[in-house]
Amino acid sequence: MREIEHIKARLAAEIDGFDPDSHGHGIGSWNRAILADFEASLIEPQFIEVNLAGGLTDWAWAVTRTNGAYRVLWLPWLDQFSLAVESRFGPVDINVHGNAIGCFSSV
């Protein structure tokens, strides 16, 4: 599938271009740990239903496994990654959008 190839290419480029000394607060050791955690949580993209604001639902690609509270999704209609909170109704997009590592490291 082209979307999966696109997602994987975006993730690979983001990982390859990640600079731990300049990401976020710039604390290299902390950012290297974030990158390691991010890489360990990556999964084969899975097409899942996601809950959006206003009671709407749509389909997105999960790119990380859930940690019980959050996971990172790729939203095809925005071509962006998103942080989703887990709920008993499934993942809920919480409008934290951007690159995958940034979304992952925001919590």
Side-chain angles (χ1 to χ4, degrees), residues 27-84:
I27 301 172
S29 59
W30 179 270
N31 290 326
R32 281 185 279 284
I34 287 171
L35 180 60
D37 288 347
F38 174 73
E39 290 181 300
S41 74
L42 287 173
I43 60 171
E44 186 69 19
Q46 297 175 337
F47 202 51
I48 62 170
E49 191 170 21
V50 61
N51 297 287
L52 305 170
L56 301 173
T57 61
D58 208 333
W59 293 87
W61 293 89
V63 299
T64 65
R65 69 182 47 83
T66 181
N67 68 2
Y70 299 97
R71 74 171 83 190
V72 177
L73 309 174
W74 178 73
L75 307 178
W77 61 92
L78 291 178
D79 193 21
Q80 287 189 340
F81 292 96
S82 173
L83 186 65

